Amino acid sequence: MYFRGQKFFVAGMSVSGESSARFLLERGAEVYIYDDVINDKISEVMAELAGLGAHIVTQETCEAATMRCDILVLSPGIPIDNVLPVTFRKQGKAIIGEEELAANYLRATAIAVTGTNGKTTTVTMINEVLNAAGMHSAACGNNGNPLIREVENLTFNDYAVVEISSFQLETLTSLRPHIAVVTNITEDHLNRHYNMENYIYLKSKILRNLKESEFAVLNYDDPVVRNFAKSTKAKVVYFSMQSRVDGAYFENGGIYFNGEKYFDLTDMSIDGVHNVYNALACVAVAGILKLDKKRSGEAICAFKGVKHRIEKVREVGGVTYVDDSKGTNVDAALKAAQTMNCPTVILLGGKDKGEDYFPLFSGLSSTSVVHAVIYGENRFKMLNAAIKAGFVSFSLCSEFETAVKLAQFTAKPGQCVLLSPASSSFDSFLNYEERGDAFREIVEKIDENEVR
């Protein structure tokens, strides 16, 4: 891709859009920057980029800029059927995303991870294992560290462990990872992708460029993911908790790869069945790369988890507060609830993603959850699902801070308050990280002397 003389329209000034614009400006491209949501942070970013030579596009000048520019660099937050990419497509112009831009300049060996849940944990865990093996690697992609930031830092001898979302897969065509991992597929983002068939198709795209010399690491226990083996040229390596597969598996209390034991499950620092699956995927990658078994096992067992994923915030007044703001869909929220080993008040709600919440409330009946505080833009849809499922112990409010306070006054000593919203954060926050930070801030301000 030639930069000088090319005009790039970078849409969306999130971290990926900002990083793309900087990358292009540094290489002499003419860059136009645009965001239809303007706040203080975005204004500051755009002003700084303008100081580096970028052209700021407003809603009034947007149409003229689309005619002038050659390539659209689309933020993953903007749907591919939005009027902006549709306009570029009608003009026969290229539409790429930040990860597609980065893929064209990536020299390092790529290990790509996608799936509905477990992506960030698996990526971080794989990166820890590579570091323990003495490798230079970077955890990047959808985890908040854009791949485009790392392409110049990684050489042919290094590794890029890349988290890839379904949003990014809409515009990603060139990435050819040496190892592609698919953690699982459950209902998610149907407000964006319309139906499960589209969502599954997008997830399968991670395998599209794999050749016979590469590897597809697939969750054998997920029928949809297992079926991906039929349509890839790559060598298939499975991971499973239920069967002894060709790959990584759980057996007699231990984690194995093709007959070789890596560690005992009881040695892991993090709990939950979902984390066992993440560890199995990581062991499969370590086995493929022939990394030292002892060091790999020690790195996985020492792993403490990622921020905003079932993370203990504080115990105050005998109540333990747990941040799982990353639990943005039904499956993730249920898995979080299943890890709770004491009576739990769960915080649910936010912006709807098109999911059916009936399975959520049906499933909560077999967990430690004793009460739900339902809030946010989708609260009435959740309320209807709760009633339909016969889940009647709930409170209802609109605002996030009110919901946390309700949970505080509802929970009794010896119980937990779990933020695992089963919804996106975009009704009130920029992302799940901001929502988790807000939860932590509220909890940290609770005065122990005022708690009953």
Side-chain angles (χ1 to χ4, degrees):
M1 188 180 293
Y2 185 69
F3 295 119
R4 294 186 185 278
Q6 294 263 43
K7 297 180 178 65
F8 290 81
F9 189 118
V10 181
M13 287 293 102
S14 63
V15 64
S16 64
E18 177 190 353
S19 300
S20 296
R22 290 183 186 278
F23 181 87
L24 292 166
L25 287 166
E26 287 168 3
R27 284 151 186 82
E30 190 171 348
V31 179
Y32 292 74
I33 54 175
Y34 172 76
D35 202 312
D36 60 359
V37 177
I38 300 296
N39 55 38
D40 291 343
K41 184 177 181 180
I42 290 174
S43 296
E44 183 180 333
V45 167
M46 293 179 79
E48 186 177 345
L49 291 172
L52 297 174
H55 307 285
I56 295 177
V57 178
T58 65
Q59 289 188 347
E60 291 74 25
T61 62
C62 188
E63 185 176 353
T66 62
M67 299 294 292
R68 191 177 301 120
C69 292
D70 306 300
I71 299 170
L72 172 64
V73 183
L74 191 66
S75 164
I78 302 174
I80 198 69
D81 58 357
N82 179 275
V83 64
L84 192 56
V86 168
T87 300
F88 271 80
R89 195 178 301 114
K90 285 180 178 178
Q91 296 176 33
K93 295 177 178 178
I95 302 170
I96 63 174
E98 169 262 318
E99 288 200 340
E100 175 65 14
L101 178 64
N104 284 279
Y105 299 94
L106 182 66
R107 297 168 294 177
T109 298
I111 300 170
V113 180
T114 195
T116 304
N117 298 312
K119 296 186 294 297
T120 303
T121 300
T122 303
V123 161
T124 311
M125 195 181 283
I126 291 171
N127 192 57
E128 293 287 322
V129 167
L130 288 168
N131 289 337
M135 307 294 186
H136 180 219
S137 65
C140 50
N142 193 54
N143 65 350
N145 178 33
L147 177 59
I148 199 72
R149 282 183 181 172
E150 298 292 345
V151 288
E152 291 296 314
N153 303 325
L154 299 171
T155 70
F156 291 103
N157 297 319
D158 301 329
Y159 291 88
V161 191
V162 191
E163 177 180 338
I164 305 177
S165 71
S166 60
F167 294 178
Q168 291 165 323
L169 283 163
E170 287 182 335
T171 55
L172 183 61
T173 57
S174 300
L175 184 67
R176 182 178 163 186
H178 181 57
I179 303 173
V181 180
V182 186
T183 58
N184 50 62
I185 294 181
T186 60
E187 196 173 89
D188 199 12
H189 300 304
L190 298 191
N191 61 325
R192 167 92 167 237
H193 303 311
Y194 300 110
N195 55 53
M196 278 300 290
E197 288 76 15
N198 289 340
Y199 181 58
I200 291 167
Y201 165 74
L202 284 169
K203 289 297 186 184
S204 72
K205 280 183 65 181
I206 198 173
L207 308 176
R208 177 183 292 179
N209 294 336
L210 300 188
K211 304 299 182 185
E212 291 83 357
S213 57
E214 280 107 32
F215 296 86
V217 175
L218 306 177
N219 184 345
Y220 186 84
D221 300 341
D222 186 314
V224 174
V225 176
R226 184 170 68 238
N227 197 50
F228 284 177
K230 298 177 181 177
S231 57
T232 181
K233 295 177 182 178
K235 299 180 184 72
V236 174
V237 176
Y238 291 113
F239 60 97
S240 172
M241 278 200 70
Q242 301 171 9
S243 305
R244 185 169 185 169
V245 295
D246 181 10
Y249 54 89
F250 169 76
E251 187 174 80
N252 298 324
I255 299 296
Y256 294 79
F257 181 79
N258 288 344
E260 294 191 40
K261 187 175 181 180
Y262 274 60
F263 55 87
D264 287 313
L265 199 60
T266 53
D267 293 334
M268 287 182 63
S269 298
I270 50 178
D271 298 323
V273 172
H274 61 291
N275 280 320
V276 180
Y277 276 105
N278 298 334
L280 285 165
C282 189
V283 165
V285 171
I288 291 167
L289 295 176
K290 296 180 171 53
L291 302 179
D292 183 84
K293 183 174 62 177
K294 184 174 184 293
R295 287 184 181 179
S296 297
E298 288 174 349
I300 293 169
C301 290
F303 182 69
K304 302 295 185 184
V306 298
K307 194 174 181 182
H308 304 303
R309 187 63 176 132
I310 316 181
E311 180 188 21
K312 180 180 175 181
V313 174
R314 184 189 182 196
E315 182 181 331
V316 56
V319 176
T320 301
Y321 293 83
V322 180
D323 171 16
D324 188 51
S325 184
K326 206 172 188 308
T328 60
N329 57 60
V330 167
D331 185 62
L334 276 174
K335 283 183 168 66
Q338 288 161 1
T339 67
M340 296 296 107
N341 52 18
C342 64
T344 298
V345 177
I346 190 169
L347 287 152
L348 296 169
K351 187 172 181 62
D352 183 49
K353 298 165 75 178
E355 286 193 81
D356 179 5
Y357 299 118
F358 179 82
L360 171 64
F361 290 100
S362 296
L364 287 177
S365 62
S366 59
T367 70
S368 299
V369 171
V370 294
H371 190 88
V373 179
I374 304 171
Y375 70 94
E377 186 180 290
N378 61 350
R379 62 191 181 278
F380 294 114
K381 182 177 177 181
M382 279 199 166
L383 171 65
N384 290 334
I387 293 170
K388 185 179 177 182
F391 188 98
V392 295
S393 181
F394 58 80
S395 305
L396 192 71
C397 65
S398 60
E399 301 301 323
F400 179 76
E401 185 170 358
T402 304
V404 178
K405 289 297 184 182
L406 269 174
Q408 173 194 334
F409 294 127
T410 302
K412 299 177 175 61
Q415 297 186 349
C416 290
V417 170
L418 169 66
L419 170 66
S420 191
S423 313
S424 82
S425 59
F426 300 136
D427 60 335
S428 301
F429 301 98
L430 288 174
N431 47 49
Y432 74 82
E433 293 98 335
E434 186 178 88
R435 176 172 60 190
D437 290 342
F439 177 70
R440 176 180 290 273
E441 186 176 341
I442 295 167
V443 170
E444 293 290 358
K445 289 180 179 177
I446 296 173
D447 187 343
E448 190 154 6
N449 294 321
E450 295 178 359
V451 177
R452 52 182 168 76

